Amino acid sequence: MTKSKISLKLVAPVLMSFFVMSFCDLVGIGVDRVKLEFGLSNTMAQLIPLAVFFWFFVLSVPVGILQDRIGKRNVLNLGMAVTAVGLLVPFFFYSFGMVLFGFALLGIGNTIVQVSANPLLVDVVPDQKRSSFLSFSQFIKSIGSMLAAPLAGWLALVYGDWKLLFAVFGVVSILAILWLGLTPVEESRNTEIRATFASSFKLLGNGFIALMVLCIFLVVGIDVGVNAVSGQFLLHKFSSAQTLAESGRSFYFFGKLLGTLGGAILLAKWSSRKFFVGSSIAGVLSLLALIFAPTETLALVVIFIVGLGIANIFPLIFSLTVERYPTRANEISGLMIMAIVGGAILPPVMGWVADAFNITASFVVLLAAIVFILIVSIYGFQKK
């Protein structure tokens, strides 16, 4: 759908869904708080991100097919409704089992939201602004991610219960549903080839798409890994105070926030592919620096730089792939959101490495992932 002007009335409620999308990043504060309160090992604590991100693998392609039939806005509101329920379950029923159940619902809802929000945003912005707005949407998502840890700390200090965070974000989800539901959105429709399981998975036979899906798997694993493990990294390597260790991930998300804001501005003028290469290089260098960081202060600075460096990789991959295959957007979205299961795989691997060796060694897993992404960013675009 070709457009020349931006309608804030249409764009704003869709961008609000990206704020709701950020609620899956509660896994970080969840790992720290639940691990402490229930006395869990590193491996057991990483079952929380597994409970969230497993569903991206199971549901993404079916959701992509569903939205090809009933529309992106309807699917997006369904996802935000499931998200709201997932947030309220651990607030009202707090045990390790119910935390896992609530986070599983949060993962199901977030899967649905991520499949539908990106292509719906593409529908409501001018074509030439696609990469810029996809980066800006990640800026909105980063705001919610960054707020979670300090808001949990403030609620614990003032009201004596960090779990009020679940209730606050649950109410926000409900308000987002109402806003989008009252907004008339003209969606693009695929009238030629209906998305099916076969047509979706057949796209993985395309080498370019397969590489891009694998890069999504890895970059989300990096994102969730830093979120879930940074607090434990600061606690064990530098004996940081609990509150400071939890806030370490806020440095990461603040870096992502500034990175996506900068990306939204720069991508209006710069080449998406060159930006992809530059972001990957920044990711490699910053993760290396984090592994060898000698002090707590320097580690916090580097955690911020990690977020700044990799902030735009996800939207760049999505934009570059849809740009090459625009008529397969629903299927590509389903496959790429399925690849978010990387957030369920890499953190448990990090937990196993941490238990077997030490918490610092676990970041080598993320370093290997970003090195692979860098190689793809340089060599993966050689052939059309």
Side-chain angles (χ1 to χ4, degrees):
M1 189 181 300
T2 303
K3 311 174 195 65
S4 58
K5 295 183 179 180
I6 297 170
S7 171
L8 186 61
K9 179 182 177 181
L10 298 179
V11 172
V14 179
L15 287 176
M16 183 64 186
S17 71
F18 285 86
F19 187 80
V20 175
M21 190 189 294
S22 74
F23 298 165
C24 71
D25 290 323
L26 288 172
V27 294
I29 189 69
V31 166
D32 285 351
R33 293 280 180 167
V34 174
K35 181 178 185 295
L36 180 65
E37 293 174 5
F38 293 99
L40 305 176
S41 67
N42 287 307
T43 304
M44 286 295 293
Q46 295 305 326
L47 289 178
I48 294 175
L50 177 63
V52 174
F53 292 98
F54 166 78
W55 299 102
F56 287 91
F57 180 76
V58 175
L59 296 178
S60 296
V61 171
V63 171
I65 295 169
L66 176 65
Q67 78 176 13
D68 198 51
R69 286 155 173 75
I70 70 173
K72 305 176 187 77
R73 184 180 66 165
N74 291 333
V75 170
L76 182 52
N77 267 341
L78 172 63
M80 291 193 289
V82 177
T83 297
V85 175
L87 288 163
L88 295 175
V89 164
F91 174 69
F92 288 110
F93 310 100
Y94 189 62
S95 67
F96 182 54
M98 294 307 288
V99 165
L100 289 179
F101 178 64
F103 272 94
L105 288 177
L106 186 60
I108 292 169
N110 205 267
T111 301
I112 299 170
V113 169
Q114 297 226 31
V115 171
S116 52
N118 287 293
L120 186 60
L121 181 62
V122 168
D123 280 347
V124 299
V125 299
D127 294 348
Q128 68 274 19
K129 299 291 185 181
R130 181 180 296 154
S131 291
S132 179
F133 265 87
L134 284 169
S135 282
F136 186 70
S137 70
Q138 296 301 305
F139 166 75
I140 299 297
K141 180 177 181 290
S142 295
I143 293 174
S145 301
M146 186 183 67
L147 286 175
L151 183 56
W154 181 78
L155 290 169
L157 179 65
V158 176
Y159 297 102
D161 189 358
W162 72 274
K163 296 187 297 297
L164 285 167
L165 182 66
F166 294 124
V168 171
F169 281 176
V171 170
V172 171
S173 300
I174 294 169
L175 294 176
I177 293 167
L178 295 174
W179 191 7
L180 183 61
L182 295 172
T183 303
V185 178
E186 184 181 353
E187 301 180 23
S188 63
R189 293 282 185 172
N190 180 6
T191 57
E192 297 180 2
I193 304 174
R194 278 295 178 197
T196 64
F197 281 97
S199 69
S200 297
F201 286 106
K202 188 176 180 180
L203 288 178
L204 292 177
N206 179 306
F208 177 80
I209 292 177
L211 276 176
M212 294 300 104
V213 169
L214 179 56
C215 284
I216 291 289
F217 176 94
L218 295 174
V219 76
V220 175
I222 294 167
D223 183 56
V224 179
V226 175
N227 180 11
V229 181
S230 59
Q232 300 303 309
F233 171 75
L234 293 169
L235 279 170
H236 290 280
K237 184 170 182 178
F238 302 109
S239 300
S240 302
Q242 179 75 27
T243 303
L244 177 63
E246 290 175 355
S247 297
R249 65 180 48 86
S250 291
F251 283 79
Y252 170 70
F253 287 120
F254 184 54
K256 284 190 68 178
L257 184 147
L258 293 183
T260 49
L261 179 60
I265 297 169
L266 295 174
L267 281 167
K269 299 180 179 180
W270 288 12
S271 160
S272 296
R273 187 193 162 189
K274 290 180 180 177
F275 207 88
F276 185 19
V277 174
S279 297
S280 302
I281 292 172
V284 170
L285 295 177
S286 57
L287 279 170
L288 266 173
L290 182 60
I291 290 170
F292 294 104
T295 66
E296 177 186 77
T297 300
L298 187 58
L300 289 169
V301 172
V302 174
I303 287 171
F304 165 82
I305 296 173
V306 173
L308 190 70
I310 71 169
N312 294 287
I313 292 179
F314 184 105
L316 282 167
I317 293 170
F318 186 90
S319 176
L320 287 164
T321 310
V322 171
E323 181 180 292
R324 186 171 290 195
Y325 302 99
T327 63
R328 314 302 292 273
N330 281 331
E331 293 150 301
I332 288 170
S333 180
L335 289 172
M336 288 194 165
I337 304 308
M338 178 184 72
I340 289 177
V341 74
I345 305 302
L346 265 63
V349 173
M350 293 179 73
W352 178 83
V353 173
D355 285 337
F357 300 97
N358 57 63
I359 199 76
T360 302
S362 69
F363 278 89
V364 174
V365 176
L366 304 187
L367 179 62
I370 193 63
V371 167
F372 181 86
I373 291 171
L374 173 59
I375 293 170
V376 171
S377 73
I378 296 172
Y379 297 107
F381 294 81
Q382 298 299 315
K383 295 181 181 179
K384 282 281 186 182

